[in-house]
Structure formats: C-alpha cells, structure tokens
Amino acid sequence: MGADKAFLEFGGQTLLDRALTVMAAVCDSVTIVGDPARFADYGPVVADVYPGCGPLAGIHAALAHSPAELNLMLAVDMPLVSGELLAFLFAAAENAGATITVPRTSNGLQPLCAVYRREFLTVAEQALRAGKYKIDAAFSAVSTHVIAAAELAGAGFSEQSFFNVNTPEDRLAAEGM
C-alpha cells in the first residue's frame, strides 16, 4: 500500500478507527496488537512477543495479555465487517465450545475475523517456537468450529464482509461495496 493500512482513510475514518468502533460495539474491552509507541493514543496496546512472525504472533500476543476466555480477533484491513457479524461469531463460539470458531468463505478460512479461546495460546506458542507461522495450520491441533459460507449467508452475512484491503485498488473497490 505504501502506507500503514491502519491509518488509511475509509468511509470518513481510518481503518483503525473503524475496526475499534465495530469491536467496541460487541466487546467488553478492545486491545490493539502492534507497536505501543505508534498506537498508544488509541487505547491499550500490546506488542508481539514474537515480532516479525506474522498474524499468528499477533493472535498469540493478544491471548497472552487477555484475561477473557473468548477472544475476538479482527484484522484492521477488513473494513466491511459489521458489529452484527461479530456478535454472530461470538454467539456461535459460545454455543460451539470449540477452541476456535472461524468463518469459511469461498476464499477459505477467515482466521483474522474469528473467535479464539485462551487455550489456543499454548498451541500458538508451540507453533511459533517451531517456526510455523501459518495460522490455520495450527487449527488441526485443537477443536475448530467452522462456520460455512452457507450458514453465514443464511444468517444474512455476505462474503463481502471479509473483504481485505491490501492495495489502493482494493480500497476503492471496498468503498464501492
């Protein structure tokens, strides 16, 4: 993108502000995983314990600092996710009792818009120490409740909700959705 995605404007606010707003609508507390110096003005921030190891390291850091049993993870570059979708994921996670509750779209699993129980911390730690950074590869070690695309659609949620903004063209496309 040529810039930090968190601070890109989208719909009159930054992607970070948008993510924080939608998370605050359904979560008792919201914490940012990132550089504490960069994000200190936005609320609680925790740094990766394993910097440079990708999103799994972010999930690990979030779980390591969270007292909650259920932890919603949301990537900052998913601006079309709604509070209703996040509430749906939380309810599904509570009912399923699985370690991970993750949506699946035609593009595959959406591990950066999913609910993780604290027990996933141990699995994430083991994977990171072994140099295995792919999130969904760690799913095989725990009980995983996958919410199929058909179930998402039946609940009124479009696959567009999970659209990632990775390029300037993606941003324009998302603004048109």
Side-chain angles (χ1 to χ4, degrees):
M1 290 286 291
D4 187 336
K5 286 195 275 188
F7 299 109
L8 286 177
E9 288 286 323
F10 181 88
Q13 61 186 155
T14 65
L15 289 176
L16 177 59
D17 285 329
R18 188 174 188 86
L20 291 173
T21 299
V22 73
M23 293 279 288
V26 296
C27 299
D28 292 334
S29 66
V30 178
T31 301
I32 298 168
V33 177
D35 179 359
R38 258 167 109 191
F39 298 109
D41 292 341
Y42 291 89
V45 183
V46 299
D48 284 343
V49 177
Y50 295 92
C53 295
L56 181 60
I59 292 168
H60 172 269
L63 293 173
H65 290 88
S66 174
E69 174 61 23
L70 293 176
N71 296 271
L72 176 64
M73 304 295 165
L74 178 63
V76 74
D77 62 358
M78 299 176 101
L80 304 179
V81 169
S82 67
E84 293 81 13
L85 174 58
L86 298 181
F88 174 80
L89 293 177
F90 260 128
E94 287 174 344
N95 292 333
T99 302
I100 301 163
T101 298
V102 60
R104 181 191 314 267
T105 67
S106 61
N107 293 321
L109 294 175
Q110 300 297 318
L112 297 179
C113 183
V115 179
Y116 295 78
R117 291 189 182 271
R118 280 191 45 75
E119 66 194 64
F120 186 69
L121 174 64
T122 304
V123 173
E125 175 93 20
Q126 291 169 346
L128 290 163
R129 285 181 182 223
K132 298 177 182 175
Y133 306 138
K134 191 159 173 47
I135 300 169
D136 52 353
F139 288 4
S140 64
V142 296
S143 60
T144 303
H145 173 63
V146 176
I147 302 173
E151 185 179 351
L152 289 166
F157 302 109
S158 164
E159 287 197 19
Q160 286 184 342
S161 297
F162 302 96
F163 187 82
N164 280 91
V165 175
N166 293 313
T167 66
E169 294 78 19
D170 288 346
R171 184 173 141 223
L172 290 174
E175 286 182 350
M177 291 182 187

